């Protein structure tokens, strides 16, 4: 069955240009007629006012007002009239009606849309995608930056209980109106955005007031073709400014056909049911003694999910009488590498519309091969398992009960538990037939909409008109969900395999007050860098470039990399990327760990192990020329060089990221990252620790880099233990002093070991002494970590070593649980996976 598409000619709008044309002059404003102070004075916007008095929801689910007056189609007609007006004015980025759409044969009637261009033309995601709650950032795109011409009307409660339309109402900046605007990158016919209290710049999070407003919009429109949807952050929302989406689709969504089984009914009359026989598990909320009763139960459930960092989607259907809630985990599965490359290649983002059964496809072959089986396979990846959903439901029900008054208890009977409700309509005709039967009367209810009087008076919605379509073309997969945060308790050595979840509450035991409880790395959750954009560091050259917030965030990503590494299927997030390794000095661990990191994320490697001897450097080619050549073959370069400062020279030359894998006696920043990460994992903290740096401190680039990073933390004390010939150089000592870090030199390893949380042993490096073999032999073997050292160390303390070792740690130390150096080496893989991901794909 093919859907008929209403064809409306559309042109690209000049209002969508980010800047005014050069040389253009404007009497006022910035040239974009936006909603900011530069353009707002004197602006007007039509107003639609509605009565927000409680409306009774009958037992059958129909919504009616206290006065049984005939329904009024004011909001429905006004919205479509204004939307058509914007079409004629050319404000959309493409012709949404030109995309092919079909109903896929099968039991549920999934709807497939070929949308080959929208993902290239819609506004990009500009926030971090792993956290459901994030602060509003005025520097990112938000709805105060849209053009005034994109707004259709203000949508506000009436003050005199009458539905009103005011064609030219002033924009009430002081009271921050809620507005309805077009989506300039629409999915369907009439695709609009409801933006509650627009000038308050609320982040994308549901509250009671905003959700009630969305329900009122569904009720006032009174058209079962018109549904509202909401996507949380982490569930494919693309803008962190509170908004709901809505559009018309004149066929049932498959989710509306799915049967349901009642779980409970609240004292407010809200029935909560499980969705049955559908690929995405979730809940249905319906009924309620008043619209506010229904709204409060749903919004409280959403708030509960938000506070536990559980991504979710919401669909408001049946003119506000039914609300579907879907906790989801697709982002988590992507982060863990659990989604097949076949599904990832479709580039379908399963947000509320896809979950509801409207599959927005980006490739012609996916559209042509669309089937109910394929749609089911994709959506099944979105769904929580039955056990995990049960935990989420228990958390929601506890929250709902806590928010009810003591005399309002939740009631549940065996009969209710076994009730199965079938869909209220089976096809488009059923929807069309019910268009007016359950409509709420607007007598005694009022809504303020603002629109053009001329378009309002001349346009009327025809219930038979179908939905528009959009098209998407293939593009490189860049949407990744790996920076996942969770409140964590400190890691303890007794639980070395316990790790935190990507989204708390999605894996692990839920707690209604504190979220997920599991043992793993404790990290900061507030970051000073710009979240949602490309990783702020273009290269990784030296330890000084990292601050605490960046370190904490890198460690969060490293935790998720550990989960990917443990998954035999691996990940494909770096598929199509090439990493070149240029090693002018011998290396085994560092080179192999970088190559392993790249391959485990789906990327490829171009390698040269001894570039000093076997590359054009042997012919006299400069480092700069080598970098210019190699960057033409790859996307990122990992370089080890024998000269201090070589990595910085390479970074100045290259237009792609450079990672310093060690530059002579200079620095080794990724080693320092994995060292600090290991200390955090082993000790459980970084502030207030005592660290003994032992061995070659003059030429040991690892201890130099580590000292720089330890200086980022509070109340740290560093002990330097080394032969006189390889003492720590003054530049590091001066840096620590300038940062207020206490340091002390000592010749007594046993005394230092007894005080420290970490004994960091290093090898005396023969290659740094040149012809002075006598000095090397004098330094070698002076300080050795053996059982005598272990005996004076504290039980919680650890021994670390960057490896390779010679005889500076005796092999009998290896069996002691405080010997952390092999765990330290494995952590290098996770850190380097994180760094590659962050430099190539961003947060």
């Amino acid at each position: 069955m093919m859907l008929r598409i209403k064809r409306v000619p559309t042109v690209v709008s000049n209002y969508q240009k980010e800047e005014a044309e050069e040389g253009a002059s404007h009497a006022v404003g910035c040239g974009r007629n936006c909603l900011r102070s530069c353009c707002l004075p004197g602006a007007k916007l039509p107003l639609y006012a509605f009565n927000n008095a409680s409306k009774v929801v009958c037992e059958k689910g129909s919504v009616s007002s206290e006065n049984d007056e005939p329904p009024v189609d004011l909001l429905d007609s006004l919205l479509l009239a204004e939307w058509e007006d914007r079409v004629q004015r050319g404000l959309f980025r493409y012709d949404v009606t030109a995309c092919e759409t079909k109903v896929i044969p099968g039991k549920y009637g999934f709807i497939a849309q070929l949308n080959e261009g929208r993902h290239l033309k819609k506004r990009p995601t500009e926030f971090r995608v792993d956290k459901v709650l994030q602060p509003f950032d005025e520097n990112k795109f938000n709805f105060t930056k849209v053009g005034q011409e994109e707004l259709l009307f203000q949508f506000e409660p009436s003050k005199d209980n009458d539905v009103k339309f005011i064609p030219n109402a002033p924009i009430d900046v002081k009271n921050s109106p809620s507005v309805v605007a077009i989506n300039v990158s629409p999915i369907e016919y009439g695709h609009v955005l409801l933006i509650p209290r627009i000038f308050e710049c609320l982040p994308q999070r549901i509250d009671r007031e905003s959700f009630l407003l969305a329900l009122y919009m569904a009720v006032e429109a009174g058209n079962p073709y018109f549904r509202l949807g909401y996507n949380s952050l982490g569930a494919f929302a693309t803008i962190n400014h509170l908004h709901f989406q809505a559009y018309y689709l004149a066929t049932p969504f498959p989710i509306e056909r799915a049967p349901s089984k009642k779980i409970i009914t609240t004292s407010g009359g809200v029935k909560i049911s499980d969705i049955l026989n559908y690929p995405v598990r979730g809940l249905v909320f319906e009924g309620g003694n008043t619209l506010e009763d229904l709204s409060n139960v749903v919004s409280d459930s959403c708030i509960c999910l938000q506070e536990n960092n559980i991504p979710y989607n919401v669909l408001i259907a049946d003119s506000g009488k039914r609300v579907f809630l879907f906790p989801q985990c697709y982002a988590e599965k992507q982060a863990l590498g659990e989604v097949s490359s076949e599904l990832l290649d479709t580039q379908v983002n399963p947000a509320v519309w896809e979950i509801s059964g409207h599959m927005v496809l980006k490739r012609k072959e996916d559209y042509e091969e669309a089937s109910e089986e394929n749609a089911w396979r994709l959506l099944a990846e979105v769904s929580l398992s039955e056990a995990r959903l049960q935990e989420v439901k228990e958390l929601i029900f506890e929250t709902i009960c806590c928010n009810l008054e003591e005399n309002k208890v939740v009631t549940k009977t065996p009969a209710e538990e076994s009730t199965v409700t079938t869909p209220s309509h089976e096809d488009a005709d059923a929807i069309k037939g019910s268009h007016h039967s359950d409509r709420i009367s607007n007598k005694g209810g009022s809504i303020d909409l603002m629109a053009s009087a001329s378009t309002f008076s001349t346009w009327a919605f025809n219930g038979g008109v179908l939905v528009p379509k959009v098209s998407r073309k293939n593009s490189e997969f860049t949407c990744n969900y790996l920076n996942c945060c969770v409140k964590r308790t400190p890691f303890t050595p007794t639980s070395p395999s316990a790790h935190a979840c990507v989204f708390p509450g999605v894996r692990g035991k839920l707690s209604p007050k504190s979220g997920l409880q599991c043992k793993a790395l404790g990290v900061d959750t507030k970051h000073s860098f710009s979240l949602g954009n490309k990783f702020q560091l273009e290269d990784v050259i030296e330890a000084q470039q990292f601050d605490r917030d960046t370190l904490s965030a890198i460690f969060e990503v490293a935790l998720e990399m550990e989960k990917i590494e443990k998954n035999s299927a691996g990940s494909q997030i770096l598929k199509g990327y090439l990493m070149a390794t240029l090693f002018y000095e011998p290396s085994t661990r560092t080179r192999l760990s970088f190559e392993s990191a790249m391959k485990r994320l789906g990327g490829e490697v171009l390698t040269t192990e001894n570039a000093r001897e076997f590359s054009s450097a042997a012919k006299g080619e400069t480092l700069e020329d080598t970098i210019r050549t190699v960057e033409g073959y790859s996307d990122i370069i990992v370089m080890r060089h024998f000269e201090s400062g070589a990595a910085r020279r390479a970074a100045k030359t290259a237009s792609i990221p450079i990672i310093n894998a060690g530059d002579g006696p200079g620095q080794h920043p990724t080693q320092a990252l994995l060292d600090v990460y290991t200390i955090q994992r082993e000790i459980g903290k970084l502030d207030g620790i005592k660290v003994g740096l032992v061995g070659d401190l003059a030429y040991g680039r690892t201890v130099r880099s580590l000292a720089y990073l330890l200086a980022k933390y509070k109340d740290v004390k560093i002990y330097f233990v080394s032969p006189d010939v390889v003492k720590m150089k003054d530049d590091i000592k001066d840096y620590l002093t300038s940062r207020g870090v206490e340091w002390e030199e000592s010749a007594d390893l046993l005394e230092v070991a007894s005080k420290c949380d970490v004994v960091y042993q290093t090898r005396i490096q023969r290659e740094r002494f040149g012809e002075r073999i006598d000095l090397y032999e004098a330094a070698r073997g002076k300080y050795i970590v053996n059982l005598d050292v272990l005996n004076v160390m504290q039980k919680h303390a650890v021994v670390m070593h960057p490896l390779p070792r010679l005889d500076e740690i005796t092999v009998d130390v290896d069996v002691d649980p405080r010997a952390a150096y092999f765990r330290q080496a494995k952590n290098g893989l996770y850190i380097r996976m994180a760094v590659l991901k962050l430099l190539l794909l961003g947060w």
Side-chain angles (χ1 to χ4, degrees), residues 16 112 237 266 326 339 382 486 512 547 562 643 704 730 751 781 827:
Q16 298 310 313
T266 70
F326 305 98
V339 180
V382 178
V486 50
D547 59 24
E562 185 169 350
E643 292 181 359
R704 291 173 58 82
D730 289 341
E751 181 184 3
N827 287 338

Side-chain angles (χ1 to χ4, degrees), residues 665-666 696-700 704 720 722 725-736 743 745:
D696 187 348
L697 307 187
Y699 304 113
R704 291 173 58 82
F720 299 130
S722 66
V725 70
V726 285
K727 282 190 173 182
M728 181 62 76
K729 294 182 179 180
D730 289 341
D731 63 332
I732 296 295
K733 297 175 184 176
D734 293 342
Y735 179 82
L736 296 176
W743 59 269
E745 289 186 312

Side-chain angles (χ1 to χ4, degrees), residues 543-544 546 551 669 672-673 676 705-713:
Q544 299 96 299
F546 301 104
L551 292 170
L673 288 174
V676 175
S705 296
L706 178 57
Y708 281 121
L709 288 191
L710 291 176
K712 309 292 182 183
Y713 297 92

